[in-house]
Amino acid sequence: MRVRFAPSPTGALHIGGARTALFNWLLARHEQGEMVLRIEDTDRERSTPENVEQILDSLRWLELDWDEGPIFQSERSERHLQALQALLEAGLAYRSSATAEDVKAYKQLHGAEHGFRGEPEAEGAVRLHVPAEGRDHRPRRDPR
């Protein structure tokens, strides 16, 4: 089993992050698995080396170690671009310059339960292409 803790170095490690790190560390150690530390440093303006060091120091102070990492998300951009390209080529994703207002208008026209379905464009954000038909595989809650 591999678990990960992926803090963002845009500020100090907070209690919620420490809790997540502790739970993942306990699970990995209980299952003889691995704990991966991945730093979510894609917010270039707010991520700082000082905050990374503060996170590492905090984890050490909590006596939480990791088996792999820290892996910096920004260093894997080539891999992410390859994955995006594969999704686009397979027709599983498309580019769209739709705004939040466009999505809201679509939902008002088609119903809030329907996901946005835009037309593919040459530029824009990558959106997953979700078929309009098909089975919802999410587990159902007992209504009682």
Side-chain angles (χ1 to χ4, degrees):
M1 167 180 292
R2 285 172 52 94
V3 297
R4 66 147 170 84
F5 176 56
S8 173
T10 57
L13 181 66
H14 55 78
I15 192 69
R19 175 184 173 271
T20 300
L22 174 62
F23 284 179
N24 286 353
W25 182 86
L26 287 169
L27 179 62
R29 296 304 176 251
H30 181 265
E31 297 293 330
Q32 289 77 47
E34 295 178 340
M35 169 87 158
V36 178
L37 178 60
R38 184 178 78 200
I39 304 294
E40 297 285 346
D41 64 337
T42 55
D43 183 343
R44 296 303 215 166
E45 291 180 18
R46 298 184 332 142
S47 296
T48 68
E50 295 81 18
N51 287 338
V52 170
E53 196 55 41
Q54 188 275 339
I55 290 168
L56 299 177
D57 287 345
S58 296
L59 292 173
R60 289 182 192 111
W61 182 81
L62 292 167
E63 298 184 18
L64 302 179
D65 59 347
W66 51 92
D67 302 298
E68 185 180 339
I71 298 168
F72 291 85
Q73 194 70 355
S74 62
E75 294 173 357
R76 304 180 88 181
S77 60
E78 184 61 36
R79 181 177 179 199
H80 300 151
L81 290 173
Q82 290 171 353
L84 281 176
Q85 191 59 39
L87 289 169
L88 291 166
E89 289 173 3
L92 299 172
Y94 63 97
R95 292 198 177 275
S96 171
S97 60
T99 64
E101 292 80 22
D102 295 331
V103 173
K104 185 177 179 181
Y106 181 93
K107 288 183 173 280
Q108 285 177 339
L109 183 63
H110 298 283
E113 70 279 2
H114 293 284
F116 176 76
R117 294 190 173 32
E119 293 297 319
E121 300 175 40
E123 299 291 323
V126 175
R127 292 181 173 270
L128 291 178
H129 177 75
V130 180
E133 300 296 322
R135 183 163 182 241
D136 181 354
H137 294 285
R138 290 178 291 184
R140 302 279 186 219
R141 289 193 175 184
D142 188 333
R144 291 182 270 158

